[in-house]
Amino acid sequence: GLAEQTIGEVPRASQTAPLGTHPLVADVLADRLKSALPDGWRRGDHVVLAAAGSSNPSAVRDVEVAAGRLRSRIPVSVSIGFASASTPRIVDAVAAARETGAQRVIAASHVLAPGFFAGLVAGAGADVVSDPLAPDERIAAIVAERFRTARVAV
């Protein structure tokens, strides 16, 4: 992929493991959902894990891992949607949840910060959208851990 190609061109550079697969990310997602749902979960709720998307199959698998971790932390079903480069698109995942009987669809924003991708998540038609992952001390801790690991490897 582009990241591997670019890293290969820069002396003493290394690529870290992805942030999104870290177990703490699922904890942050669950907390963001709790904040977005002040009255709690309802019967008929469905969560779409809304990720940026990638044409890299391993990145798509990473989102599937993140979805599995989120499923273990919340009491409702979870599907996946992507803003770009992968399918299903978030808007299609929201529509599919409604077609299968979801009474309320919640988009769990699996993007780091406000901006372009967070805007796509917000505009995908979910009834509720959680905040992006950052800022959060746990996300900062993961970034620092990845940096330390990469620094030792170089």
Side-chain angles (χ1 to χ4, degrees), residues 6 28 121 126:
T6 303
V28 174
V121 173

Side-chain angles (χ1 to χ4, degrees), residues 46-119:
H46 180 93
V47 169
V48 173
L49 180 60
S54 175
S55 59
N56 182 335
S58 67
V60 173
R61 285 190 299 275
D62 290 344
V63 174
E64 292 167 357
V65 168
R69 289 200 168 117
L70 182 59
R71 284 183 191 105
S72 73
R73 287 164 173 79
I74 62 173
V76 301
S77 58
V78 176
S79 61
I80 298 171
F82 298 97
S84 69
S86 306
T87 56
R89 293 288 199 257
I90 300 165
V91 68
D92 296 328
V94 168
R98 291 191 201 292
E99 289 168 12
T100 59
Q103 300 297 308
R104 181 172 66 167
V105 180
I106 302 105
S109 187
H110 194 252
V111 298
L112 274 177
F116 179 74
F117 287 113

Side-chain angles (χ1 to χ4, degrees), residues 119-134:
L120 292 177
V121 173
D127 300 300
V128 178
V129 178
S130 71
D131 287 339
L133 297 169

